[in-house]
Amino acid sequence: MADATIETPIPSELENATSVNGTAKIPATPEGMAIAYGSLFLMAVVPIFIGSFRSVTFHKEQKDSGEKPETMSHKDAAMFPIIASCALFGIYLVFQIFSKEYINLLLTVYFFILGVLALTHIVGPIFSKFLPSSFPNKDYHLILTQGKGDKKEDLMNYEFDRKDLVSLGICGVFGIWYLWKKHWIANNLFGLAFSINGVELLSLNRVSTGCILLGGLFIYDIFWVFGTNVMVTVAKSFEAPIKLVFPQDILEHGLGASNFAMLGLGDIVIPGIFIALLLRFDMSLKRKSKVYFCAGFVAYCLGLGITIFIMHFFKHAQPALLYLVPSCLGLPTVVALFKGDIKAMFNYEDHSETPAAQETEKTK
């Protein structure tokens, strides 16, 4: 999760009608759809808000420790949609050739491990606060290296304590629930954890890199949703917490409802890492207001709201980045033009080899 690239393509679209096990869909009431859409909206914006502020702390810790982060270059950003397209189509072919049940069995185990670790990273510090001071805590340091002498390098260097193990055990219970029931709530817990970790740990170093990445994925999303059935097919076949879901028939069937609206995690993480970069740019300006973060966050909310409206109006899955990318890039850029910060915005770097000539203002 700490890498600057996403190793698997995250299906990215908003869809309003899925059924489970091939059973007929239960018609959704207007109230049920409103609850489902509202819940998806809330579950999308919360990880971006939390993850953005966590990214500020994460980057500060990296700078203080002297650690050089892995960031995405312009070339990486330009190639990412192509690599993601190849991987997405490859997954689609695998589902066409092999049994979906066996593939999802392997994916379930894989995402069980990742989900428990991601959830532990988010809620571990919260659980630790509730443990009594008398808790017999001990520190541990797990190191795995390869090579000798000057060629020796760390493969794993992880420090933890007994409180972390307690948190891991509690999150493991949720993981077992996901393995056993594949319940949509367990799916969403893991999905939210992945989203927050993604926004916090994945790094865009420059605004221009973010523009290239979002622009490429803008075309990627439109093609794979409108041009083919590949994106929707993979999203429906992929039984893993790579999407957030909420039942539209929850009023009629409670927690056992099965007619889901869904939102791919790519529609959260990709715009989210750009909005987190805007927050870090705000922090570099040392102003009281976080105007660019607010502009990006409001733009995301508007873009997602438009996506939901269009999807509901046309009754068809929508490539959410079609609406999110123009809003998330457009509004902050317009604000920067009006405030005279456009040059400073595009010159800003999180981690620069040499001091960047940035135009900053004194605290107002």
Side-chain angles (χ1 to χ4, degrees):
M1 291 294 293
D3 293 341
T5 58
I6 304 173
E7 296 180 352
T8 56
I10 304 177
S12 175
E13 44 36 72
L14 185 63
E15 220 270 329
N16 72 340
T18 60
S19 58
V20 293
N21 302 325
T23 57
K25 293 180 296 184
I26 301 169
T29 63
E31 294 82 2
M33 285 190 290
I35 292 174
Y37 295 156
S39 298
L40 285 179
F41 184 91
L42 187 63
M43 287 191 291
V45 299
V46 168
I48 292 177
F49 186 87
I50 296 175
S52 294
F53 281 92
R54 288 175 66 100
S55 78
V56 173
T57 303
F58 176 68
H59 278 260
K60 185 178 183 302
E61 290 173 350
Q62 283 189 314
K63 287 181 180 179
D64 292 343
S65 66
E67 179 183 354
K68 184 175 176 60
E70 294 184 31
T71 57
M72 186 176 290
S73 67
H74 285 183
K75 183 180 178 181
D76 294 332
M79 288 297 297
F80 182 79
I82 299 173
I83 297 171
S85 294
C86 294
L88 178 67
F89 189 64
I91 294 172
Y92 174 78
L93 291 179
V94 168
F95 275 115
Q96 301 303 310
I97 297 171
F98 300 101
S99 171
K100 185 167 66 174
E101 287 73 20
Y102 292 116
I103 297 171
N104 279 317
L105 179 61
L106 293 174
L107 291 173
T108 297
V109 175
Y110 177 69
F111 280 97
F112 161 74
I113 298 172
L114 288 183
V116 170
L117 293 176
L119 192 59
T120 302
H121 181 252
I122 299 299
V123 303
I126 299 174
F127 287 155
S128 297
K129 292 180 179 179
F130 288 96
L131 292 175
S133 57
S134 59
F135 180 80
N137 198 24
K138 290 282 187 181
D139 293 315
Y140 302 95
H141 194 174
L142 185 62
I143 303 175
L144 180 62
T145 63
Q146 69 175 8
K148 292 183 178 180
D150 295 337
K151 296 182 178 180
K152 188 175 182 180
E153 59 180 346
D154 288 348
L155 295 179
M156 180 186 298
N157 191 334
Y158 187 64
E159 296 183 17
F160 59 97
D161 56 24
R162 288 182 179 175
K163 292 182 178 180
D164 294 323
L165 293 177
V166 171
S167 301
L168 184 66
I170 295 173
C171 293
V173 173
F174 289 100
I176 293 172
W177 180 32
Y178 171 75
L179 282 177
W180 182 34
K181 291 291 188 180
K182 290 290 184 67
H183 198 277
W184 60 272
I185 294 180
N187 172 90
N188 287 349
L189 285 174
F190 282 172
L192 290 170
F194 287 143
S195 298
I196 295 173
N197 276 286
V199 175
E200 174 188 358
L201 303 177
L202 298 179
S203 179
L204 286 173
N205 200 39
R206 298 177 63 96
V207 170
S208 56
T209 306
C211 292
I212 295 171
L213 177 66
L214 267 67
L217 290 175
F218 173 80
I219 299 171
Y220 160 91
D221 215 20
I222 294 172
F223 174 77
W224 288 113
V225 175
F226 284 153
T228 72
N229 68 337
V230 171
M231 181 78 80
V232 175
T233 300
V234 170
K236 290 183 179 181
S237 302
F238 215 85
E239 292 182 6
I242 58 168
K243 54 185 180 286
L244 299 177
V245 299
F246 201 91
Q248 300 175 92
D249 55 337
I250 191 170
L251 295 177
E252 293 80 15
H253 298 90
L255 298 181
S258 60
N259 182 12
F260 294 105
M262 66 181 183
L263 178 68
L265 297 191
D267 298 324
I268 302 172
V269 175
I270 299 301
I273 60 177
F274 183 76
I275 295 170
L277 176 62
L278 293 178
L279 176 60
R280 297 194 296 274
F281 171 61
D282 272 322
M283 302 295 284
S284 75
L285 295 176
K286 302 184 185 303
R287 298 173 183 167
K288 291 181 179 180
S289 62
K290 305 295 182 286
V291 62
Y292 294 105
F293 169 72
C294 292
F297 192 77
V298 169
Y300 180 85
C301 293
L302 291 174
L304 187 59
I306 293 171
T307 307
I308 292 173
F309 174 78
I310 297 293
M311 181 203 63
H312 179 69
F313 184 81
F314 288 102
K315 309 297 182 185
H316 188 277
Q318 295 295 314
L321 294 181
L322 170 63
Y323 312 100
L324 292 173
V325 169
S327 59
C328 289
L329 294 182
L331 185 57
T333 302
V334 170
V335 172
L337 284 170
F338 274 102
K339 293 184 70 65
D341 291 329
I342 192 69
K343 185 177 179 181
M345 175 186 284
F346 280 88
N347 283 341
Y348 172 75
E349 289 185 65
D350 273 327
H351 301 267
S352 179
E353 296 292 339
T354 58
Q358 299 177 6
E359 297 180 5
T360 59
E361 296 182 9
K362 294 181 180 181
T363 305
K364 293 183 177 180

